[in-house]
Every structure is written in C-alpha cells, then in structure tokens.
Amino acid sequence: MAPFRWPTTSNDIMLATEVAVERKPKSPAHWQTIAGILSHAFSSDDKQVDLTGRACREWLERLINKFKEEDKKSLKK
C-alpha cells in the first residue's frame, strides 16, 4: 500500500475540522481517533487509506507553520 500524501485542500480542511471537533487533541488516543475517522472518509472501494495519529498531528503542525510563514511574508510587504 502506497503512503497517503494529503493530495487535496479538502483533505486538509477535513483534518482541521476533525481537530476542531475534538477540541485541541492532546493525547495520542485522541489523534488516533481523528486518524480513524479520516482513514474511513478518505478510503474508497479501490483504495484503502490507513492514517496514523502521528501523521495527522505532524501534517497539521506543518500546515500551521506554513500559514505562519506566509502570514509573516505578507505582513512585510
């Protein structure tokens, strides 16, 4: 099985929505719950997606850091 690459913006939005519903997950169990929900949502009949809580947490951190960097650049202009 090939690794999941977060191919679309809608996947990012779904991740952020699930994190908001979970109210800032702290424990690995909360992140694993989010991963289970998203794995089911992203899977199709021909392609099974199996996310981990760690992958979800790290991807959200990357999205937030990218947003902060772009925000700093736009404020400098």
Side-chain angles (χ1 to χ4, degrees):
M1 176 171 44
F4 184 69
R5 298 285 184 202
W6 299 93
T8 64
T9 305
S10 64
N11 295 126
D12 297 340
I13 293 170
M14 288 177 73
L15 172 62
T17 302
E18 288 300 323
V19 169
V21 167
E22 194 67 33
R23 296 187 181 188
K24 296 184 182 179
K26 300 285 185 203
S27 71
H30 287 140
W31 283 106
Q32 196 57 43
T33 301
I34 292 170
I37 293 168
L38 294 177
S39 293
H40 180 70
F42 297 160
S43 294
S44 62
D45 291 336
D46 60 329
K47 185 177 180 184
Q48 183 67 27
V49 175
D50 188 29
L51 294 171
T52 63
R54 180 179 177 177
C56 293
R57 179 178 48 84
E58 289 177 354
W59 187 252
L60 184 65
E61 288 172 359
R62 287 184 185 135
L63 288 173
I64 291 170
N65 289 336
K66 185 176 179 181
F67 173 79
K68 287 179 180 180
E69 288 175 18
E70 290 178 5
D71 193 41
K72 284 180 185 179
K73 289 178 185 176
S74 67
L75 289 174
K76 288 182 181 180
K77 290 182 180 181

